[in-house]
Amino acid sequence: MSTKSKSTDMRGLISLTKTTQTLLAHFQSSLSPSQTSSTPSVALIPGSSSVPEPNPLEIVKVATTLLKSHTTTLSLLLLTPPLTPSAIVKKIGDVSSEVLSNLVAAASGTAIQGQKDQLGDLMRVELRIQARRLIGTWGEVLALVLRFAEKREKATGKDEGPTESERQDVLAATGVVWEACDSLLKVCQDGVVGLVVKKAEQWRSVLMDAVEELKEWGEDVADEDDEDKAEGSDEEDGGFGDEDDIFGAANKLGKGDKDLKTLLDDSVKRLKKVSMLYQALIKRRLKTFPQSPVSADATNGESTEALADPIQTLDQLMVLLKGIPETVDDLASAFYDLDEEEAKDTLDKCCREAKSAVDLVKKSWTGTDDVFTTWSGKWTAALEAA
């Protein structure tokens, strides 16, 4: 191949790379949190028939697996001299026109026309986040392609291949893409059930941390004798105590705050019961969520409104489970401000949210009574009696 032909090929690679970078920016924008799906997106697995794949997670899984493979090949092309523009151009074209377009369509799209959404809001958000991150990592590989191509375009001698520093850059960028691919593949493998269980466990952990902090704060009741001693020490040091005395005294319970202390103890008891609810919901509702639509046989032919759209019910449940720890944060703030009325109102709100979660899924996903149905009645009574 003549030098002129090589130069033309290299310029073509540079042009394609820059165009693809613009395309990646568009893909990432379409996956941003501010974007919402409008019309349903139909994505096809490369090489499949015209029939839409019903499960978007399968499309994401196939696209991600292909991207990992293409990235591996591309990294080898960058590391092996001489740089071959035609091979790299083909590889970039395969990734942008097939793999990434299908990945973005599946991650950002709504349910296919005429079918119910199988993923729900939580999974849709997770797919957008993971896919956006993956595209960002692949953009770093693309940036290396541009750097290598521009370097070879200016070079006049024999292509000696990448320097050791450049080799390390390629390996590092490839490794980051692999990691992002594996993370997205794990989401697809775990499915909706795996994701909601993981999120609920995280939110329960946040809730328990808040409860423990409240409990410790309530046990730190200022002792009157210690206060007297602190006043004496203030005189000795010119009227300045330590930092905790100066900035912490305003939001510490005193021995005279008996009503607030009683409310705090009641709050801790109730919140521990709410934590128990998370455990029960994870075991009896989230882990048993049907991976496929509930059939009429499963309900003995009975139809219920609750089963009209299980994924919508799941979405509503997850919103409540996410919101409860946030309400507990507000409760803690009320206590730290020594605002008894606000603390009462916020505690009531937290309990209402927990009971709403129970009521939402009191019956099983098949619309029947089960162990959780019976347990939830006892739990509600215990919460109200606490």
Side-chain angles (χ1 to χ4, degrees), residues 168-217:
Q168 292 304 318
D169 288 342
V170 171
L171 294 175
T174 303
V176 173
V177 173
W178 285 355
E179 182 184 359
C181 285
D182 290 342
S183 179
L184 185 48
L185 289 172
K186 181 68 165 54
V187 172
C188 295
Q189 179 182 342
D190 292 346
V192 173
V193 171
L195 179 63
V196 296
V197 167
K198 176 184 175 182
K199 293 294 185 181
E201 289 174 342
Q202 290 174 345
W203 295 331
R204 178 181 178 271
S205 179
V206 172
L207 171 63
M208 289 304 298
D209 287 344
V211 173
E212 189 60 30
E213 288 180 11
L214 273 176
K215 182 181 177 182
E216 292 177 358
W217 179 77

Side-chain angles (χ1 to χ4, degrees), residues 42 90 147 165 173 177 179 240 316 347 374 386:
V42 178
K90 184 179 185 306
R147 191 208 305 176
S165 176
V177 173
E179 182 184 359
F240 294 96
Q316 294 171 353
L347 176 61
T374 303

Side-chain angles (χ1 to χ4, degrees), residues 56-57 107 109-111 116-128 192 195-196 289 309-316 318:
L57 291 181
T110 60
K116 291 181 179 179
D117 186 14
Q118 298 180 39
L119 302 186
D121 294 339
L122 202 64
M123 178 59 83
R124 288 291 180 190
V125 170
E126 186 69 19
L127 286 180
R128 282 171 175 262
V192 173
L195 179 63
V196 296
F289 183 77
D309 192 356
I311 197 70
Q312 185 177 25
T313 301
L314 181 65
D315 281 340
Q316 294 171 353
M318 298 309 289

